[in-house]
């Protein structure tokens, strides 16, 4: 099943069901007005949405219309919780190595995770609006899950049962603001502006054989200014699966329906697969020559993040954004 949220002038948008080929959609207001409402009563509402999805794919849905990603908000325009992990330890190791910092051995068995702002996500085709290029603007291509209610202390073998939907993420980072923030000892805040998500969120069964062991075993493509710069396989070198991230999150607290958990920047040890953020490319340059060459993003730059199935068809639709200076926006 594929779900999206249509812009309608409200904070939470209008829940729609989207066809498997991402060509048509149907409003789900007779079932649930918003995705959060569906998540709050998933066992009752999801079968109704799935029935509508079946009719839509068969061309039998009443009042269907063309699906347009540009008209979408984030699937969850605001969420009760957004927690981003760092499952691809290769990424962390490279970035630390570039600045001659030793990586603690614990990073291989104890996930890194931070809690980001979740009250104001931006849509998949909305501009990334910032005030300064000097902040070191970077994209981060990731995968995320949306969960149902999860009890505190949930066991890893059961944690995957709470995953309702998956989607793609651009977890924008302001690299030049990060060092001073981390030096304070309280983690990210100003260096992590609003994240954006793919136009469509999908149930795990939509991935078929490529959803296995709590990981998505497909390449995640990042295209910067029209150039494909990375397509690492999200199932390779993912040290912590989504069930493991869920277990980490819920060690000391409950998580409620609508919690979003990110994978962290997708990264493969095989450098030929490219990169999912500019910081990793710069780290490789630092390691090789002692100096980074690749600049961070400039105003006017574009980023596209997408995942294709085995037939080359988009699964989630694409995140397609431009970086825009604040003063240039009305």
């Amino acid at each position: 099943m594929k779900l999206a949220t249509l812009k309608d002038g409200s904070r939470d948008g209008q829940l729609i069901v989207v066809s498997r080929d991402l060509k048509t959609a149907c409003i789900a207001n007779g079932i649930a007005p918003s995705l959060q409402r569906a998540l709050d009563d998933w066992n009752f509402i999801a079968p109704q949405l799935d029935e509508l999805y079946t009719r839509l794919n068969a061309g039998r849905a009443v009042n269907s219309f063309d699906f347009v990603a540009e008209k979408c908000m984030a699937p969850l325009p605001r969420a009760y919780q957004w927690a981003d992990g760092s499952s691809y330890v290769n990424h962390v190791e490279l970035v630390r190595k570039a600045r001659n910092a030793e990586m603690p051995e614990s990073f291989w068995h104890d996930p890194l995770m931070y809690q980001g702002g979740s009250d104001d996500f931006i849509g998949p085709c909305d501009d990334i609006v910032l005030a300064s290029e000097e902040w070191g603007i970077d994209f981060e291509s990731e995968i995320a899950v949306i969960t149902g209610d999860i009890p505190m202390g949930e066991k890893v073998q059961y944690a995957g049962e709470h995953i309702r939907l998956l989607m793609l993420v651009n977890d924008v980072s302001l690299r030049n603001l990060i060092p001073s923030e981390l030096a304070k000892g309280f983690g990210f805040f100003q260096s992590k502006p609003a994240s954006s998500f793919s136009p469509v969120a999908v149930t795990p069964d939509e991935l078929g054989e490529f959803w296995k062991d709590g990981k998505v075993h497909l390449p995640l493509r990042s295209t910067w200014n029209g150039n494909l710069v990375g397509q690492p396989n999200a199932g390779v070198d993912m040290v912590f699966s989504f069930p493991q991230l869920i277990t980490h999150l819920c060690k000391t607290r409950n998580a409620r329906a609508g919690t979003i958990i990110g994978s962290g920047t997708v990264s493969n040890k095989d450098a030929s697969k490219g990169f999912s953020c500019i910081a990793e490319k710069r780290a490789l340059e630092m390691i090789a020559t002692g100096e980074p060459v690749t600049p961070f993003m400039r105003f006017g730059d574009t980023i596209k993040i997408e995942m294709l199935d085995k037939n080359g068809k988009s699964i989630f639709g694409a995140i397609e954004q431009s970086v825009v200076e604040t003063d240039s926006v009305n």
Side-chain angles (χ1 to χ4, degrees), residues 89 133 141 146 150 177 211 234 305 307 329:
V89 182
E133 293 178 339
S141 304
I146 304 175
I150 313 168
L177 300 185
W211 173 249
I305 302 169
M307 181 172 279
V329 177

Side-chain angles (χ1 to χ4, degrees), residues 28-223:
N29 62 352
I31 302 171
S34 67
L35 181 54
Q36 183 61 54
R37 178 66 186 87
L39 291 163
D40 285 338
D41 198 6
W42 187 256
N43 290 339
F44 177 71
I45 292 175
Q48 299 175 62
L49 294 172
D50 192 53
E51 183 181 349
L52 179 56
Y53 182 61
T54 299
R55 294 202 307 271
L56 182 63
N57 286 320
R60 295 186 287 103
V62 178
N63 297 325
S64 63
F65 52 89
D66 293 341
F67 176 68
V68 180
E70 290 81 1
K71 295 182 179 180
C72 289
M73 307 172 79
L76 271 179
R78 53 180 175 168
Y80 287 110
Q81 182 163 224
W82 159 231
D84 198 17
S86 192
S87 291
Y88 299 88
V89 182
N90 177 66
H91 167 74
V92 181
E93 189 172 40
L94 284 174
V95 172
R96 292 180 71 92
K97 185 177 180 180
R99 64 174 191 263
N100 295 315
E102 186 175 347
M103 190 180 76
E105 189 275 335
S106 64
F107 284 15
W108 291 101
H109 56 80
D110 187 22
L112 293 171
M113 184 173 284
Y114 82 93
Q115 192 170 55
S118 61
D119 57 327
D120 187 33
F121 295 136
I122 56 178
C125 301
D126 292 347
D127 290 335
I128 300 167
V129 182
L130 296 166
S132 175
E133 293 178 339
E134 300 304 314
W135 290 342
I137 306 165
D138 199 357
F139 62 89
E140 286 194 59
S141 304
E142 307 183 11
I143 299 169
V145 298
I146 304 175
T147 76
D149 289 324
I150 313 168
M152 180 175 64
E154 181 64 291
K155 305 295 185 183
V156 68
Q157 61 264 39
Y158 306 119
E161 298 174 7
H162 302 288
I163 295 173
R164 301 292 183 245
L165 298 160
L166 294 102
M167 53 188 178
L168 307 182
V169 191
N170 182 11
D171 181 41
V172 178
S173 289
L174 304 177
R175 298 295 181 186
N176 294 337
L177 300 185
I178 288 176
S180 60
E181 285 207 313
L182 294 186
K184 295 178 180 179
F186 255 39
F188 303 117
F189 199 84
Q190 291 179 337
S191 53
K192 288 290 188 177
S195 298
S196 55
F197 296 84
S198 53
V200 170
V202 311
T203 48
D205 60 289
E206 288 292 327
L207 297 168
E209 64 188 287
F210 299 104
W211 173 249
K212 184 173 63 174
D213 301 324
K215 304 175 183 179
V216 180
H217 295 265
L218 285 167
L220 182 60
R221 299 167 57 87
S222 300
T223 304

Side-chain angles (χ1 to χ4, degrees), residues 98 278-287 291-296:
I278 301 169
E280 188 167 312
K281 172 66 170 173
R282 287 167 60 92
L284 289 168
E285 293 167 349
M286 278 286 292
I287 293 167
E291 184 177 358
V293 176
T294 303
F296 288 118

Side-chain angles (χ1 to χ4, degrees), residues 259-295:
T259 291
I260 303 173
I261 303 172
S263 66
T265 306
V266 177
S267 175
N268 287 172
K269 292 180 180 179
D270 181 357
S272 70
K273 300 300 182 182
F275 55 93
S276 297
C277 70
I278 301 169
E280 188 167 312
K281 172 66 170 173
R282 287 167 60 92
L284 289 168
E285 293 167 349
M286 278 286 292
I287 293 167
T289 67
E291 184 177 358
V293 176
T294 303

